[in-house]
Amino acid sequence: MDHIRNFSIIAHIDHGKSTLADRFLQLCEALTDREMSAQVLDSMDLERERGITIKAQSVSIKYKADDGQEYQFNIIDTPGHVDFNYEVSRSLYACEGALLVVDAAQGVEAQTVANCLTAIEQNLEVLPVINKIDLPAADPERVKQEIEEIVGIDASEALCVSAKTGQGVHEILEQIVKYIPAPKGDPAGPLKALIIDSWFDNYLGVVSLVKIVDGELFAGRKMRVMSTAHDYMVSEVGLFTPKRLKVDVLRTGQVGYVVAGIKEIDGAPVGDTLTQSDRPATERVPGFKQIKPRVFAGLFPVDASDYEDLREALAKLRLNDSALHYEPETSQALGFGFRCGFLGMLHMEIVQERLEREYGLNLITTAPTVIYEVLTSKGETLQVDNPSRLPPLDQIEIIYEPIIHADILVPQEHLGNVITLCMEKRGVQKSMQYLGNQVAISFELPMSEVVVDFFDRLKSATRGYASFDYNFVRNQASNLVKLDVLINGDRVDALSIIVHKDKAQIHGRALAEKMKEVIPRQMYDVAIQATIGSHVIARETVKALRKNVTAKCYGGDITRKRKLLEKQKEGKRRMKQFGTVEIPQAAFMAILDVG
Ligand code: GTP
C-alpha cells in the first residue's frame, strides 16, 4: 500500500492533460511507441474527434523511482468541460492527490479553479505543474503568480514542463512519489470497494471501475452490491495498464476493474459500495453527491419502430452517466419518445451523438429548456420541464426561472464584450476583480439564457480567451410567456418555447423567419405562425413547389442531379411528417439560432 499513488490530472481543456498522461505511460514503458500513436486516455471515438475527455478513465502503471523502489501509479483521468464537473468530483474520490496542469501561455482559467477547489475540499494534495514551456508565449512566472492569487495554493515549487518534448516530466513522477500520500485503509477489514464508474460491455456485461477502500477483492469469490444486497460471483478483476491486465486480487488502495456477470443494467450503480458476501461491511463508503440535470429536451426516434431500442440505449448510457435522466414522453407532432435531462448543452449533444453513433439510432431532438417552477391560480406548484406542458396563461399566477451565478475569467481587452453579452442575456453584475492581466467578473444570469448559446457566444466574443464556470443559485419570479408555432393552423407541441416577455416579439419573428428557411417547400403553401396565447405575433409562408427537385436540372449534368437527390435523401432522414408537412430536425433547433 505504501507504494501506491492514486492521482488525477486537473486541467482546463487543451492545457495538455492527455498529452502529459501519455508521456507518463511512455516513460513507464506501459506502451510501445506504436501504441502511443493515439492518445490512450481518450478512448472513445467521439472523444478523439471532439478532442475532449468525456468519461473518466483510469490507467495503472509501474514506476521505478530514483529511490530504487517500484511504485504503482493509478492515474484517474478527469474531463475538463464545465458540463462535466460532477465527473471530476467523482474521480477525485478515488485519489489522494492531483496534478494541477496549467498552460504556461494561457494561464489559469475559471474551470481549473473550480476543479482545483473541489480537490482541495476533498483534502487532496495538489501539485501545480506548468505545461507547454516550449511555447514562445510561455510565461511561467506570471502563471505561478496567477496560481497563487486565483487558486490560492503555494506555487513556488511548481514544475515547469513540456508534455510535448518531455522536458521536466521525470521530475513530476518524482514529486508524485514524494508529495502525494499513499492511500489509507484497513487491509484486514471487510471489503469495501467504491464504484467510480460502470459501463456495459456486450461480452462481459457490467464492468465496474472500483477503488478498494478496505479489504481485498478476489476473483472467484462472491461479492455483494450493498444498495441492492444482490450477490454475484466475481469472474475477473484486473488493472488497465492501459490494456486489460487480469490479476488474482485487488488490494486495499488499488484502483482496478471488476467483472461479476452482472447483466442487469443498473446492477452496479456508480457511487455504490461492493463488499464480500461472507463477511459484509456494515456501512457503505460515503457516496458522491447526487447531481441534478438542469437542461431538458425531448428525444424522439425518426422511425417509430426504434422506440424500444432507444429505451434500451438510454438505460445503458445511464449506467455510467448518473446525470442523465429520462422518462417517456408523447408528443402529438413527434409521437413516442423520451424527455431527457442533461447537465448542459454539451452533455446533451454528446448523449445524442452516442445514441446515434454507438446505437445506430436516428433521432429528432427538441430545443433544450430549463425547469420552470409555476405557481397556478389554484395555489399548486408545478415543475415544468417541457414548454408544451405549461398551463394556459389565465391559470398561471407566477413563473419562476432558475438563476445561475457565473464566474468568468477574461483578459482585460475582452472585458467590454463580456459585459455586453451578459447584459444582453439579462445578466446582473455581481463583482469584478483585476488579477494581473486578467479580470475575474461574476454575473447572475437566467439559466435559460445560458444553456442555449452562451458558451459559444462567450468564446467568439473573447476569441476563445474567456473561461467560465457556473452554479445554480435560486429560482426567481420572472415575466415569461409561452411562444407557440402553428403550421397550417395547427400547433406543433414540440416547437413551443418559453421566453421572456420583453424578447417575445423579436424571438417570434426570428423564429418564424428561420422556420421558413428550414422547412422545405412542399406541394402546397405552408403557413407558419408564431403565437402567444391567441395572439399571432409573426407570420411567414413557404411557397409551394413541384416535389421533384431534379426537374429543374433539365437532364444534363448527371452528377449534379445525383448530388441533389443525395441531399434530398439526407434531408429526409431527419424529417417528421406533421399532417401534410415534413418538418426537419433543424426546425426543432431553430430557437438556438434566434436566441
Ligand atoms: P482535453 O482532453 O480536451 O481536456 O484536453 P487536454 O487537456 O487533454 O489537452 P491535450 O493533451 O489534448 O493537448 C491539447 C493540445 O496542446 C494538443 O494539440 C497538444 O499537442 C498540445 N500540447 C500539449 N502539451 C504541450 C506542450 O507541452 N507544448 C506544446 N507546444 N503543445 C502541447
Side-chain angles (χ1 to χ4, degrees), residues 11-20 39 42 51-53 80 131-135 161-164:
H12 191 76
I13 293 170
D14 275 351
H15 282 202
K17 181 184 57 203
S18 309
T19 314
L20 187 64
Q39 291 190 347
D42 293 352
I52 50 166
T53 314
N131 187 30
K132 305 199 189 181
I133 52 158
D134 58 298
L135 290 177
V161 311
S162 166
K164 192 172 173 185

Side-chain angles (χ1 to χ4, degrees), residues 60-361:
S60 305
I61 48 178
K62 288 199 175 110
Y63 175 60
K64 186 109 187 265
D66 292 354
D67 63 9
Q69 313 246 358
E70 195 176 83
Y71 291 84
Q72 185 180 75
F73 285 179
N74 296 308
I75 313 173
I76 325 278
D77 196 17
T78 55
H81 192 275
V82 56
D83 275 10
F84 299 99
N85 236 335
Y86 77 107
E87 291 208 348
V88 173
S89 114
R90 94 184 191 200
S91 314
L92 294 180
Y93 272 92
C95 301
E96 283 73 44
L99 301 182
L100 168 64
V101 176
V102 183
D103 184 317
Q106 302 279 335
V108 174
E109 315 222 28
Q111 184 64 28
T112 337
V113 182
N115 290 346
C116 202
L117 295 180
T118 313
I120 294 168
E121 254 168 47
Q122 294 183 16
N123 286 324
L124 267 57
E125 181 68 36
V126 178
L127 304 178
V129 173
I130 297 170
N131 187 30
K132 305 199 189 181
I133 52 158
D134 58 298
L135 290 177
D139 188 352
E141 286 314 309
R142 175 178 64 86
V143 174
K144 276 187 194 173
Q145 205 182 331
E146 276 184 14
I147 294 177
E148 297 198 339
E149 279 179 7
I150 306 174
V151 186
I153 56 171
D154 178 14
S156 54
E157 278 199 59
L159 291 172
C160 295
V161 311
S162 166
K164 192 172 173 185
T165 65
Q167 181 189 348
V169 177
H170 173 77
E171 284 71 21
I172 306 180
L173 297 171
E174 287 298 314
Q175 276 207 354
I176 291 168
V177 170
K178 199 164 152 203
Y179 295 118
I180 294 182
K184 296 186 186 71
D186 178 7
L191 169 69
K192 272 190 193 173
L194 177 70
I195 304 179
I196 307 165
D197 201 356
S198 284
W199 59 96
F200 195 84
D201 183 286
N202 283 337
Y203 298 101
L204 302 170
V206 174
V207 182
S208 299
L209 183 71
V210 296
K211 156 112 182 243
I212 312 295
V213 177
D214 292 319
E216 294 166 325
L217 178 58
F218 283 90
R221 296 195 191 167
K222 272 195 170 168
M223 68 166 201
R224 179 169 299 167
V225 177
M226 286 188 77
S227 69
T228 62
H230 284 168
D231 289 344
Y232 299 92
M233 177 59 75
V234 178
S235 55
E236 185 178 324
V237 294
L239 306 170
F240 290 112
T241 67
K243 283 175 279 195
R244 231 168 79 204
L245 175 73
K246 266 196 213 182
V247 296
D248 298 330
V249 55
L250 290 176
R251 299 188 197 279
T252 313
Q254 281 191 311
V255 175
Y257 69 86
V258 50
V259 178
I262 302 180
K263 290 286 177 255
E264 59 278 37
I265 286 165
D266 43 11
V270 170
D272 211 329
T273 303
L274 303 177
T275 189
Q276 60 201 93
S277 303
D278 55 356
R279 193 180 152 216
T282 48
E283 275 173 38
R284 291 167 59 175
V285 181
F288 322 107
K289 53 178 177 231
Q290 195 56 39
I291 10 82
K292 283 201 197 124
R294 302 251 177 234
V295 178
F296 288 78
L299 255 54
F300 295 85
V302 170
D303 184 347
S305 62
D306 285 343
Y307 178 76
E308 279 307 318
D309 291 347
L310 175 58
R311 179 202 294 281
E312 205 171 297
L314 282 167
K316 283 183 182 169
L317 287 187
R318 167 146 168 90
L319 173 66
N320 70 352
D321 188 350
S322 53
L324 171 66
H325 281 234
Y326 62 95
E327 55 183 59
E329 175 184 0
T330 321
S331 151
Q332 278 166 352
L334 298 175
F336 293 105
F338 293 91
R339 191 83 197 155
C340 300
F342 309 94
L343 296 165
M345 284 293 285
L346 181 69
H347 186 212
M348 171 172 138
E349 282 168 30
I350 286 169
V351 168
Q352 190 192 346
E353 271 190 56
R354 290 189 64 185
L355 288 171
E356 300 207 332
R357 213 181 277 207
E358 292 169 31
Y359 297 92
L361 293 161

